[in-house]
């Protein structure tokens, strides 16, 4: 029987019957193209015209598959099998909102593992652009509606550079529940919890406010469930923005150094120039050199004049500080114009209303922790670099 003939008969039977033969399914037939001539099943007997192409049924109500089964015993068995497969990897039974694992579903440590502990995905907060000292990170809670219960998230952060042995230097570990929500952390780090588009889904955030400019940082996150299992690691590596410079002040210092170097330089003037150049940051010193050479290079560049006026030893102490500026930042510091601005960005600051008892961390569910949150503001000074003012 051609498929279209079967559908037509089924639709006719459903229209003539008082009972709904098919629950939740609406059958509509319409012509959308034609079957290929090579399909013999599409030909109607005695008619040369080809039957219409079958159209996928449109479902107007979504129901679980097991509700379509009439036999109660079979329906219950099918329901339990589907719930076990979806929430407990097919290796346990769903009891309320958790999984009772089969005896074969235990890991080498003797912990039940039929309900998987998913890997959290650490990411930069889309609402907070990283600055030279501030970085905000966030992740979506991985606790499912049924199964594994997340007890805590552990966040590790460390600065990575050529002087640090990354295998020996582990950085700092922060417990989201015990360190951040409890208030034991420093004022440089704040934790938050909010909700996304779906109210049942929690989004956790951590903002770091005291990082070093132009520093390469590695952040690592993993979840801990109530039985002590650890999830896979999620990592974000980023470099903070270049150190802030006051371009107007840098130009003023360049003019001051030129006037001190100009003509006969007394011992007092030499010491003033030396102190001035040693007091500014390495990035400001780089910018001072840029302005000095832009305006006064015809009288000798900054390096040569410093060696000539201050002597090789003092000049070396000053100039070697320029080596601290990375190649990335040194390119930006050569920009014709550098402007400054201050962004004020809101962030969530949350504290726990209850004290988690010592030794009971694994048995506490993070999502059930009662917290109090308030919105705070953080000021984020920035430099903008361009070829002309206002760009």
């Amino acid at each position: 029987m051609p498929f279209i003939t079967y559908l037509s008969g089924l639709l006719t039977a459903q229209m003539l019957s008082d009972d709904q033969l098919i629950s939740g399914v609406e059958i509509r037939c319409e012509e959308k193209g034609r079957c290929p001539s090579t399909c013999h099943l599409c030909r109607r007997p005695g008619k040369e015209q080809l039957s219409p192409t079958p159209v996928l049924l449109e479902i107007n109500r979504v129901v679980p598959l097991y509700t379509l089964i009439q036999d109660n015993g079979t329906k219950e068995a099918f329901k339990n099998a589907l719930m076990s497969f979806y929430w407990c990897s097919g290796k346990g039974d769903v009891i309320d909102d958790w999984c009772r694992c089969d005896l074969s579903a235990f890991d080498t440590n003797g912990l039940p593992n039929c309900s998987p502990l998913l890997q959290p995905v650490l990411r930069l907060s889309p609402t907070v652009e990283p600055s030279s000292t501030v970085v905000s990170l966030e992740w979506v809670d991985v606790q499912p509606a049924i199964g594994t219960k997340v007890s805590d998230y552990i966040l590790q952060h460390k600065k990575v550079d050529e002087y640090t042995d990354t295998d020996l230097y582990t950085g700092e570990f922060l417990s989201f529940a015990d360190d951040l929500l409890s208030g034991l952390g420093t004022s440089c780090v704040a934790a938050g919890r909010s909700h996304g588009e779906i109210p049942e889904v929690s989004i956790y955030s951590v903002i770091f406010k005291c990082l070093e400019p132009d520093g390469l940082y590695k952040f690592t996150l993993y979840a801990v469930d109530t039985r002590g299992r650890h999830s896979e690691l999620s990592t974000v590596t980023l470099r903070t923005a270049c150190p802030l410079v006051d371009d107007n002040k840098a130009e003023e210092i360049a003019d001051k150094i030129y006037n001190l170097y100009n003509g006969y330089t007394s011992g007092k003037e030499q010491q003033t120039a030396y102190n001035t150049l040693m007091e500014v940051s390495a990035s400001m010193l780089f910018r001072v050199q840029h302005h000095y050479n832009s305006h006064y290079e015809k009288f000798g560049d900054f390096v040569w004049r410093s060696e000539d006026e201050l002597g090789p030893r003092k000049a070396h102490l000053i100039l070697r500080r320029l080596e601290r500026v990375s190649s990335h930042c040194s390119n930006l510091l050569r920009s014709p114009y550098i402007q400054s601005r201050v962004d004020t960005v809101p962030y969530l600051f949350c504290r726990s209303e209850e004290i988690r008892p010592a030794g009971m961390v694994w048995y506490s569910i993070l999502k059930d922790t009662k917290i109090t949150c308030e919105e705070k503001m953080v000021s984020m000074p920035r430099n903008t670099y361009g070829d002309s003012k206002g760009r």
Side-chain angles (χ1 to χ4, degrees):
M1 177 185 296
F3 185 65
I4 188 62
T5 304
Y6 167 74
L7 289 183
S8 299
L10 189 62
L11 180 61
T12 302
Q14 185 166 348
M15 292 175 61
L16 295 176
S17 175
D18 295 334
D19 300 327
Q20 291 290 331
L21 298 182
I22 302 177
S23 175
V25 177
E26 176 186 358
I27 301 175
R28 294 184 299 176
C29 294
E30 56 185 282
E31 183 173 347
K32 293 186 177 179
R34 297 186 180 277
C35 291
S37 58
T38 55
C39 178
H40 66 282
L41 294 178
C42 295
R43 297 182 180 275
R44 295 182 181 179
K47 293 185 178 180
E48 296 182 357
Q49 184 179 9
L50 301 178
S51 61
T53 301
V55 178
L56 180 66
L57 300 180
E58 296 182 11
I59 300 177
N60 59 14
R61 182 163 61 92
V62 178
V63 294
L65 286 175
Y66 55 78
T67 62
L68 302 178
I69 300 175
Q70 301 301 318
D71 179 71
N72 289 335
T74 306
K75 179 187 295 186
E76 188 65 22
F78 191 24
K79 174 184 177 181
N80 292 339
L82 283 177
M83 296 285 283
S84 173
F85 176 79
Y86 188 83
W87 296 110
C88 310
S89 304
K91 301 177 182 178
D93 299 321
V94 172
I95 307 296
D96 295 329
D97 63 346
W98 57 281
C99 288
R100 182 180 62 191
C101 297
D102 298 337
L103 294 178
S104 59
F106 285 77
D107 60 19
T108 55
N109 297 319
L111 298 174
N113 64 352
C114 65
S115 179
L117 177 57
L118 300 179
Q119 176 192 31
V121 179
L122 188 64
R123 66 191 183 194
L124 288 174
S125 299
T127 57
V128 182
E129 180 186 355
S131 70
S132 56
T133 57
V134 179
V135 169
S136 180
L137 302 167
E138 68 178 27
W139 64 93
V140 177
D141 188 18
V142 296
Q143 177 171 305
I146 296 175
T148 299
K149 305 302 177 188
V150 174
S151 172
D152 201 359
Y153 290 97
I154 306 299
L155 184 63
Q156 176 199 21
H157 70 98
K158 61 181 179 180
K159 186 179 179 183
V160 182
D161 53 41
E162 62 272 20
Y163 308 107
T164 303
D165 188 332
T166 55
D167 295 329
L168 297 178
Y169 173 63
T170 58
E172 183 179 3
F173 287 85
L174 293 172
S175 163
F176 191 87
D178 293 336
D179 297 328
L180 300 179
L181 288 183
S182 66
L184 296 179
T186 67
S187 59
C188 290
V189 187
R193 185 175 74 185
S194 59
H195 298 284
E197 297 179 357
I198 304 175
E200 294 79 13
V201 178
S202 297
I203 298 178
Y204 295 101
S205 61
V206 175
I207 184 169
F208 294 86
K209 298 182 287 183
C210 305
L211 300 180
E212 295 183 19
D214 193 25
L216 183 63
Y217 284 89
K218 182 179 181 181
F219 302 90
T220 304
L221 176 75
Y222 64 88
V224 181
D225 71 1
T226 53
R227 293 184 171 91
R229 288 187 303 168
H230 291 187
S231 71
E232 295 292 328
L233 302 177
S234 178
T235 302
V236 169
T237 302
L238 61 87
R239 182 176 291 278
T240 52
C242 297
L244 297 173
V245 295
D246 185 336
D247 199 34
N248 293 328
K249 185 175 179 61
E251 193 166 12
E252 291 175 2
I253 294 175
D255 294 338
K256 177 181 177 180
I257 297 300
Y258 169 75
N259 291 329
L260 290 172
Y261 286 173
N262 190 24
Y264 171 76
T265 306
S266 65
K268 181 180 179 180
E269 290 172 329
Q270 289 179 354
Q271 192 63 37
T272 301
Y274 175 78
N275 292 342
T276 301
L277 295 175
M278 290 297 289
E279 287 171 358
V280 299
S281 65
S283 297
M284 277 290 286
L285 179 61
F286 195 99
R287 191 62 179 173
V288 168
Q289 180 188 36
H290 170 79
H291 281 302
Y292 188 98
N293 290 336
S294 298
H295 299 312
Y296 311 114
E297 191 172 17
K298 61 183 178 181
F299 303 108
D301 68 359
F302 180 77
V303 172
W304 180 82
R305 290 289 288 161
S306 296
E307 291 176 344
D308 184 56
E309 297 293 339
L310 304 180
R313 188 183 69 83
K314 286 187 176 180
H316 174 71
L317 293 175
I318 294 172
L319 297 174
R320 72 175 183 179
R321 300 174 60 225
L322 297 175
E323 299 174 1
R324 302 177 189 174
V325 183
S326 67
S327 58
H328 167 68
C329 290
S330 62
N331 289 333
L332 291 176
L333 290 171
R334 294 188 182 96
S335 301
Y337 295 98
I338 299 179
Q339 295 179 312
S340 301
R341 77 173 196 269
V342 178
D343 296 338
T344 303
V345 181
Y347 70 94
L348 275 181
F349 177 74
C350 298
R351 287 288 181 90
S352 174
E353 297 179 0
E354 54 196 33
I355 300 176
R356 291 162 63 104
M360 297 288 288
V361 175
W362 286 358
Y363 303 97
S364 302
I365 300 175
L366 180 61
K367 196 170 186 177
D368 295 341
T369 302
K370 295 181 180 179
I371 62 174
T372 301
C373 297
E374 60 178 311
E375 185 177 89
K376 292 194 172 186
M377 308 298 289
V378 58
S379 296
M380 302 173 64
R382 302 182 188 277
N383 283 146
T384 54
Y385 310 88
D387 296 332
S388 61
K389 290 185 178 180
R391 293 184 60 186

